[in-house]
Amino acid sequence: MGRVNQTATANAEEFGFHEGDLVQEWLWDDDVDDGIRAGIEELTGEDLVDEDYGSAVDGVIIWWRDGDDEDELSDVIVDAYAVLGQDGPLWVLTPKPGRPGAANPNTVQSAAKTAGMNAATPLTVSADWNGVRLRAFGKGR
């Protein structure tokens, strides 16, 4: 079990989150990777807050699956970015290809563009999930 927690914490660091950061989670459902969630909470020392949290946050993760509406994803990205302070990390997490709910990479790219964001190349963040970091147009890498 220690190895799993170390891996989850290492992945949380790759997200760009830091100790004390408040991270908001959007579109949670039963299929999310609890290892990712636990790793972020362990690294930051804070519980994840849900999309109803009304104050500024230091980072965002959005769980996205195939079959969800692309326009809704654009709206969620805009809403999440609005509460994100200091241009903190914003990630869209999708099931990996071949897994239930795997999203077409073009869907995330298109929704990000519609929301005024650039989408990076997907990264593996767990055995079943990929992550795509988004940045506002004109922001450095």
Side-chain angles (χ1 to χ4, degrees), residues 11-86:
N11 287 346
E13 291 171 355
E14 290 177 12
F15 284 115
F17 304 136
H18 305 285
E19 185 176 346
D21 282 355
L22 192 59
V23 178
Q24 188 173 39
E25 175 180 51
W26 293 73
L27 305 178
W28 177 93
D29 205 342
D30 296 357
D31 63 344
V32 302
D33 188 314
D34 287 326
I36 291 173
R37 299 177 79 249
I40 293 169
E41 289 178 343
E42 185 175 327
L43 175 69
T44 63
E46 302 288 338
D47 291 338
L48 295 173
V49 296
D50 67 18
E51 60 256 26
D52 294 327
Y53 184 79
S55 296
V57 295
D58 303 302
V60 170
I61 59 171
I62 300 169
W63 301 97
W64 190 256
R65 300 137 192 100
D66 184 41
D68 295 337
D69 182 9
E70 183 179 316
D71 290 335
E72 180 187 347
L73 178 55
S74 297
D75 292 342
V76 169
I77 292 168
V78 169
D79 291 344
Y81 189 70
V83 296
L84 186 61
Q86 302 287 321

Side-chain angles (χ1 to χ4, degrees), residues 88-123:
L90 189 155
W91 288 84
V92 176
L93 306 179
T94 60
K96 291 170 94 173
R99 308 302 197 280
N104 181 330
N106 292 333
T107 300
V108 175
Q109 297 279 346
S110 178
K113 186 175 181 180
T114 299
M117 307 286 279
N118 288 316
T121 302
L123 300 173

